Amino acid sequence: MSWLKRRAGPLIILGTSAIGGTAYRFARPSDPSDASLNPHTFTPYTLVEKRTVSPTSAIFTLRNQDGKPEPESVREVWKRSVWSVQIKQPQLQIARAYTPLPPTSEAHKKGRDEPADIRLLIRHEEGGEVSTYLHRLPEESIIELRGPNQELELPHDIKEIIFLAGGTGIAPAMQMAQALGRRTGSKLHILWANRRRDECIGGVSDDVLKTNVARNRKGWWQSLISSDDPAAQQPATNDPSGSKGAIVKELDALKEQSKAATRGLSVQYYVDQEKSFIQRADLERRVARIPEEKGSRLIMVSGPDGFIEYWAGRKKWEGGRETQGPLGGVLGTMDLGGWRVFKL
């Protein structure tokens, strides 16, 4: 599949002893082009806002420190790709990839010569060196970015995507929604699984009656922890005020934007805390439909390693790079017909 772009491993060790092109040379001569985001050197960005989304995650808004506009390479990947940037943890000299969220409606009003913000949904992972470093930073701190790194380029004839997202894996799904908004006749189904409701407050599935709710079955993550986890036994905690979380609002906005050119964007919400899990049947009824027209159809899986492995099998390291590996998990046991699978 030539249109599938493999990405480098998610954690990169920097320094002159790093493998191949991952090395960051401190003695590198300065170059005026380094002031703009580029895939070769780290560019300083200012943390202009850190907006709390849940007790464990926040949206980081970053702006080019020198006020440089968005480079053409970024404008191009927004049109057709899933892409990421690398953030450097300077003390440990490591970097990790994060997927930018689509621009807000206000950002679209900016001119081409104005600095464009990069927004990242980042969860504070226990033991995560880069996420811990970032969540401790105050606003106005400097964060160094490198990119864009294209992970997947959509085929020109794409017609339909089923996107399985776990936690912050919703970010590339939102990138897909933004990109498909440019494709007449395309369709995207997002199935978003979270451990707790506070990650998706106010989110109501578009297909409520057909959403499979399994009250006595475990989610993918519960098989990795003890069954007496107190958080897993807490009752559902929808916000009584009826307000919506930041990501839910942005998904609603993407649905509105998609109505003009596409056949629609649908979002299904699943919350382990409420005993609601993505089920095999949720996929089978979408995959089994007779295609309305010819074109590429893709199932994408993004989220924690355990989530990806459960649904599609492990990715594999080959030649120092992280590759797709064989299809496994639940999807590996299904008759997918002409649907292809990609693990992010």
Side-chain angles (χ1 to χ4, degrees), residues 161-178:
I161 294 176
I162 298 172
F163 203 114
L164 303 179
T168 55
I170 191 63
M174 294 168 70
Q175 281 193 355
M176 284 292 89
Q178 191 269 351

Side-chain angles (χ1 to χ4, degrees), residues 33-111:
S33 64
D34 293 350
S36 294
L37 184 68
N38 70 90
H40 308 294
T41 60
F42 284 94
T43 301
Y45 274 68
T46 301
L47 174 59
V48 296
E49 183 184 34
K50 184 162 57 174
R51 181 184 180 187
T52 299
V53 173
S54 75
T56 59
S57 59
I59 295 175
F60 288 65
T61 300
L62 310 177
R63 188 171 297 158
N64 187 288
Q65 185 185 32
D66 292 342
K68 294 290 184 180
E70 193 172 62
E72 190 62 34
S73 59
V74 172
R75 298 191 188 102
E76 287 301 312
V77 291
W78 272 127
K79 296 177 183 179
R80 62 180 185 275
S81 307
V82 172
W83 62 284
S84 65
V85 293
Q86 293 169 0
I87 293 183
K88 181 172 68 170
Q89 207 286 28
Q91 287 85 20
L92 298 178
Q93 282 302 293
I94 57 176
R96 188 171 289 281
Y98 291 95
T99 303
L101 295 170
T104 62
S105 57
E106 288 299 316
H108 283 297
K109 298 177 183 178
K110 288 188 175 183

Side-chain angles (χ1 to χ4, degrees), residues 127-315:
E129 294 91 348
V130 180
S131 67
T132 298
Y133 159 74
L134 292 172
H135 274 270
R136 288 176 177 171
L137 292 177
E139 292 184 2
E140 302 303 321
S141 296
I142 301 302
I143 298 175
E144 295 185 79
L145 273 62
R146 180 168 65 182
N149 303 307
Q150 183 175 275
E151 301 184 21
L152 166 71
E153 182 177 352
L154 287 174
H156 294 294
D157 65 341
I158 188 69
K159 290 300 178 185
E160 194 167 3
I161 294 176
I162 298 172
F163 203 114
L164 303 179
T168 55
I170 191 63
M174 294 168 70
Q175 281 193 355
M176 284 292 89
Q178 191 269 351
L180 286 179
R182 304 169 182 268
R183 308 287 183 100
T184 302
S186 62
K187 197 168 186 178
L188 172 62
H189 312 278
I190 297 176
L191 284 67
W192 185 22
N194 284 290
R195 293 188 180 184
R196 298 176 176 86
R197 173 56 70 173
D198 56 27
E199 301 286 347
C200 56
I201 292 174
V204 178
S205 296
D206 293 311
D207 199 0
V208 177
L209 294 178
K210 293 182 180 179
T211 298
N212 229 329
V213 179
R215 296 235 169 238
N216 296 311
R217 298 174 65 178
K218 292 183 178 181
W220 67 269
W221 69 274
Q222 288 179 301
S223 63
L224 305 179
I225 62 175
S226 61
S227 59
D228 58 352
D229 176 40
Q233 299 178 20
Q234 294 176 359
T237 54
N238 269 311
D239 187 344
S241 68
S243 62
K244 294 184 177 182
I247 300 299
V248 172
K249 288 180 180 178
E250 295 196 21
L251 285 168
D252 287 347
L254 286 168
K255 282 191 281 189
E256 285 298 315
Q257 294 171 19
S258 72
K259 289 180 179 178
T262 74
R263 289 184 294 162
L265 162 64
S266 67
V267 182
Q268 303 298 112
Y269 294 91
Y270 302 84
V271 182
D272 289 6
Q273 187 184 54
E274 300 171 4
K275 308 299 182 183
S276 172
F277 312 117
I278 302 173
Q279 301 294 326
R280 179 187 179 115
D282 296 334
L283 299 174
E284 288 178 332
R285 63 188 179 85
R286 288 179 169 86
V287 170
R289 288 198 312 267
I290 298 176
E292 299 174 14
E293 53 188 319
K294 292 183 179 180
S296 296
R297 286 167 173 79
L298 181 63
I299 299 173
M300 300 179 68
V301 188
S302 178
D305 289 342
F307 182 86
I308 295 173
E309 182 178 350
Y310 176 82
W311 285 106
R314 291 184 181 182
K315 290 179 282 186

